[in-house]
Amino acid sequence: MNSSLDKSFDFFLKNQFSKFEDGEWGAIYENEVVSHGKNLKEVVDSVKKKNVVPLSKILLSKIKKTASYL
């Protein structure tokens, strides 16, 4: 069975994130970006404030539009 982080990483690899700015941080939970922004601390604080899922289940990654992840 896939863990939440496995699902989040698969989602990260399969998406282009075209609506986000290059260099933003993304907080991904399974098949959804739950928060994003230029400042990592603000993204983490936003995830904590929403209290949707434990922070330990969130994949945090920098979004680079020029990178190829596949």
Side-chain angles (χ1 to χ4, degrees):
M1 185 161 87
N2 283 345
S3 72
S4 295
L5 286 176
D6 289 337
K7 290 177 186 176
S8 298
F9 190 64
D10 286 343
F11 177 80
F12 175 75
L13 292 177
K14 293 176 182 175
N15 285 278
Q16 296 296 317
F17 303 101
S18 58
K19 66 180 180 178
F20 302 109
E21 290 185 40
D22 194 41
E24 278 191 293
W25 284 95
I28 301 166
Y29 176 69
E30 294 191 354
N31 296 316
E32 181 182 359
V33 177
V34 294
S35 184
H36 65 93
K38 293 272 185 187
N39 182 292
L40 178 59
K41 182 179 180 333
E42 290 174 6
V43 171
V44 170
D45 288 346
S46 172
V47 171
K48 288 179 183 177
K49 184 178 180 182
K50 290 178 184 178
N51 201 25
V52 178
V53 293
L55 192 57
S56 63
K57 295 185 183 262
I58 298 289
L59 174 70
L60 295 167
S61 182
K62 195 113 184 198
I63 298 168
K64 289 285 286 175
K65 292 184 180 181
T66 58
S68 175
Y69 300 109
L70 296 178

